[in-house]
Amino acid sequence: MTRQTAAIIGGGVIGGGWAARFLLMGWDVRVFDPDPQAERKISEVLDNARRSLPGLSDVALPAEGQLSFHETMSETVADVAWIQESVPERLELKRKVYQTLQEHCPHDAVIGSSTSGFKPSELQGCATRPEQIVVTHPFNPVYLLPLIELVPSDKTAPAIVARAKDILISIGMHPLHVRAEIDAHIADRFLEAVWREALWLIKDGIATTEEIDNAIRYGFGLRWAQMGLFETYRIAGGEAGMRHFIEQFGPCLEWPWTKLMDVPELTDELIDAVADQSDAQSGHHTIRELERARDDNLVTILRGLKAQDWGAGQLLNEQDRRVEGVVRLPDDLGHPIVTVKRAVPLDWTDYNGHMNEARYLQAFGDATDRLMLLIGCDAEYIATGGSYFTAETHIRHLDEVRAGAVIRIETQVLSGAGKKMHLFHRMFEGDRELATGEHMLIHVSLATRRASEPAPALAETLAKIASAHEELPTPEGAGKAVGVRG
C-alpha cells in the first residue's frame, strides 16, 4: 500500500499531537514550524504517544511513518494528502498561512484547521480556494482522544468533507460533522459554560479549584465519559425515559441556580425534539440494559483509574486499605494461608462469559505478592535492593468462574530455603476448587539482577512457614506438567 503524507503547520502541543497520531497510524509526516525548539518539542510528544497509543490497540499498529522537518511551507505541503494548520489563534495569521499553502499544495488536499473558535467561513475569507478549507478541531492529547469536530462552511466542497471523514476514520478518530457554523463549535461551548460557572464559584468563595475538579472527576465526569449527557439523563428518567426526565427536572432551568440563565423555553416542540432524538439514540435498549451497560463501563473506567492510583481510583485504593486493615501473618501456620479473597470484577471476563485465563495468572500473581508481603518482602525491603522474581509458573484450570463470584486463594509454601521460594496456590469459590497455580520464585539482587540470598529476617520468616506447611499433604497437581492424558 502506498504510504500517504500529512503536513503539520505549527508544531506546538496540538500540532505535535497531530504529528504523532498520523505517524503512529502509518503516515509520513512533514512539519513546518519556525520555532528552533520545534523538533525537540515534537520528539517529546512522540515519546509520550509511542508509550501510550499502541496500548489502546489489541492488534499491531501499521509500521510507523517517516518524520521530517522543513524550512519552508512550500516544501512541506508539496504532494501531501492532508494539511493540518495548528498556528496561534490569530485570524490574520491563519489567513496568511492559507494563502501560502494554497500556492503550493495539491488542489485536492484537505486543509484542516485545529482552531477551537473560528468558523470556517472566517478562515476562508482570503483563500484562493475556500472550498478546500475545513475546521478539524481536535482535543488534547490528539494521539489518544478520538473526537474531531469537522466543521465545513457552505463553500467547503462536499468531496473535501467526505475525504476528511474517510481519512480521520482511517487514523482511528471520530469525525463529528457539525452541520451549521457556530462560534466555538459544539464541545468547547460546553466547556466554556462549565468554565464560566466555575470561575463564579471561585469568585464568590463557594468552592476552590480542587473542590470543583473533585466534583467533576468523582461524579458526573465519569458518567459523561461513557454515556455523554442525554443518555445519562435518559436513565435518570427511569422507565418513562427522557420525556419524564424533562417533565420532572425541566422547571429547574428557570430557577436561579447558576449564573447562566439564558436558557431556551421548554416548549412542546423542544420537548418533543429532545425526547424523539433520545428515543432514536437509545430507545432500542431498556432502562435496565442501559443501567447494566453504564455499570460495566464505570467499573472499567474506575478500575483503570485505580491501576494508576489517580482521581476516583485513588479513593478506591484508600478504601481497600481501610477495609483490609493491617496485613500480618496468621497466628496458626498449620493451614494454607488465605492470600486473596475478592470478587471477580466485570472486566475480568471474556467472550465465553467466564474469567479470562490471563486473569487466573493475575489472581495467582496477587496471591504471590501477598505472600511476599507477609514474609517481609515489602516496598521498604525492595527499596534496599532485594526482591523475588518468578522463574516458572504452571496453572491448571479446573472449573469456570464468572463475574461477581467471590474467590479465595489458599497458598501453601512447598519449600522456602536459600534463594528459592516454591508456592502452590489453590483458588476456590466456596468449597468448589476452580484452579491451581504452582510458582517457583528466585530471590534476586536488584543491583546485579542475579540470584542472591534473602535478608536473614525474611529468610527466617519464610523458613518458619515452610516448616509448618511441611506437615500438610502435598496438594493434588503439585509438580505436574502439561501433557496428554493416556
Side-chain angles (χ1 to χ4, degrees):
M1 184 177 72
T2 303
R3 190 187 295 275
Q4 299 192 83
T5 304
I8 309 298
I9 309 300
V13 172
I14 298 300
W18 274 107
R21 169 69 76 162
F22 274 109
L23 272 171
L24 294 182
M25 289 298 167
W27 285 54
D28 289 337
V29 173
R30 303 177 194 162
V31 177
F32 170 81
D33 192 318
D35 180 0
Q37 298 296 314
E39 189 165 352
R40 174 188 62 80
K41 293 176 181 177
I42 286 185
S43 175
E44 292 172 356
V45 172
L46 265 174
D47 287 343
N48 285 342
R50 291 184 181 117
R51 172 179 172 272
S52 56
L53 175 61
L56 294 180
S57 181
D58 294 325
V59 298
L61 295 182
E64 185 174 315
Q66 297 294 315
L67 175 65
S68 57
F69 292 84
H70 301 264
E71 295 184 358
T72 65
M73 277 192 278
S74 58
E75 180 183 352
T76 307
V77 302
D79 300 322
V80 300
W82 185 285
I83 302 167
Q84 189 65 30
E85 171 270 303
S86 301
V87 305
E89 291 283 86
R90 299 201 305 272
L91 185 58
E92 69 280 2
L93 173 62
K94 290 179 181 289
R95 285 178 168 177
K96 185 176 180 180
V97 165
Y98 296 142
Q99 288 176 322
T100 303
L101 294 178
Q102 291 192 317
E103 288 179 16
H104 303 282
C105 74
H107 289 201
D108 61 348
V110 176
I111 301 179
S113 175
S114 297
T115 181
S116 59
F118 291 124
K119 298 191 288 287
S121 58
E122 294 174 311
L123 302 174
Q124 295 166 341
C126 300
T128 306
R129 297 183 298 278
E131 67 275 7
Q132 194 174 9
I133 298 170
V134 66
V135 167
T136 47
H137 173 233
F139 290 81
N140 189 39
V142 184
Y143 53 80
L144 290 182
L145 297 184
L147 180 64
I148 299 294
E149 292 182 306
L150 176 63
V151 193
S153 77
D154 56 5
K155 292 183 179 179
T156 307
I160 289 292
V161 176
R163 190 174 187 205
K165 285 182 178 180
D166 289 343
I167 289 175
L168 289 169
I169 291 171
S170 76
I171 61 172
M173 311 199 85
H174 176 76
L176 175 60
H177 187 173
V178 182
R179 293 179 300 279
E181 290 188 278
I182 187 171
D183 291 324
H185 323 313
I186 293 177
D188 275 354
R189 295 178 75 88
F190 294 140
L191 295 177
E192 182 73 9
V194 174
W195 172 244
R196 289 174 188 267
E197 188 62 30
L199 292 176
W200 276 112
L201 290 171
I202 293 169
K203 181 181 183 301
D204 292 343
I206 305 299
T208 66
T209 58
E210 183 176 9
E211 289 165 345
I212 291 168
D213 284 349
N214 287 345
I216 296 170
R217 62 183 177 174
Y218 299 154
F220 65 85
L222 292 167
R223 295 189 308 188
W224 284 9
Q226 46 89 39
M227 276 193 171
L229 180 66
F230 283 97
E231 202 160 63
T232 294
Y233 283 166
R234 182 182 183 88
I235 292 177
E239 294 181 358
M242 179 60 74
R243 188 178 300 277
H244 175 67
F245 173 82
I246 296 174
E247 291 171 352
Q248 186 173 6
F249 294 101
C252 301
L253 295 174
E254 299 178 3
W255 300 349
W257 280 0
T258 75
K259 302 288 185 178
L260 306 174
M261 290 305 298
D262 184 14
V263 297
E265 180 184 354
L266 284 175
T267 63
D268 290 343
E269 183 180 9
L270 178 56
I271 293 173
D272 287 344
V274 173
D276 291 347
Q277 290 174 19
S278 178
D279 287 344
Q281 176 185 356
S282 308
H284 55 291
H285 296 296
T286 67
I287 292 299
R288 299 291 88 82
E289 288 172 340
L290 286 173
E291 288 172 343
R292 285 192 291 272
R294 174 202 61 196
D295 294 350
D296 290 355
N297 295 336
L298 285 174
V299 166
T300 301
I301 293 169
L302 286 164
R303 288 184 58 78
L305 290 170
K306 194 177 183 184
Q308 300 302 315
D309 197 33
W310 201 267
Q314 187 177 58
L315 298 180
L316 292 171
N317 286 329
E318 291 170 356
Q319 177 65 6
D320 280 355
R321 288 189 286 270
R322 280 192 292 269
V323 170
E324 183 178 50
V326 178
V327 178
R328 61 182 182 83
L329 274 173
D331 295 329
D332 182 4
L333 294 178
H335 305 278
I337 299 170
V338 176
T339 47
V340 169
K341 189 173 183 181
R342 59 162 306 155
V344 175
L346 295 170
D347 62 336
W348 277 24
T349 55
D350 63 12
Y351 45 81
N352 290 319
H354 57 210
M355 194 160 79
N356 182 304
E357 62 187 48
R359 299 300 188 174
Y360 285 85
L361 177 58
Q362 179 172 337
F364 288 135
D366 290 344
T368 297
D369 287 345
R370 175 53 56 89
L371 197 284
M372 287 171 57
L373 189 63
L374 291 171
I375 66 175
C377 189
D378 54 15
E380 184 177 348
Y381 179 84
I382 292 170
T384 67
S387 187
Y388 280 94
F389 287 6
T390 302
E392 188 172 349
T393 297
H394 180 217
I395 293 177
R396 297 159 65 231
H397 301 271
L398 306 177
D399 205 343
E400 288 188 292
V401 57
R402 299 176 183 274
V406 176
I407 59 172
R408 179 183 77 260
I409 296 180
E410 299 179 359
T411 299
Q412 183 173 340
V413 178
L414 299 182
S415 65
K419 305 170 186 176
K420 296 181 179 180
M421 179 165 63
H422 186 185
L423 305 179
F424 195 88
H425 304 299
R426 299 173 72 194
M427 182 189 297
F428 296 89
E429 181 188 10
D431 295 329
R432 184 167 61 97
E433 190 169 14
L434 306 171
T436 66
E438 187 171 0
H439 301 252
M440 178 64 74
L441 295 97
I442 307 296
H443 189 273
V444 170
S445 164
L446 297 178
T448 64
R449 319 303 280 191
R450 294 182 180 277
S452 66
E453 294 291 334
L458 189 152
E460 181 181 344
T461 304
L462 180 59
K464 178 182 176 181
I465 300 171
S467 177
H469 286 188
E470 280 182 355
E471 305 300 321
L472 298 173
T474 300
E476 170 65 28
K480 285 191 175 181
V482 174
V484 179
R485 293 178 181 176

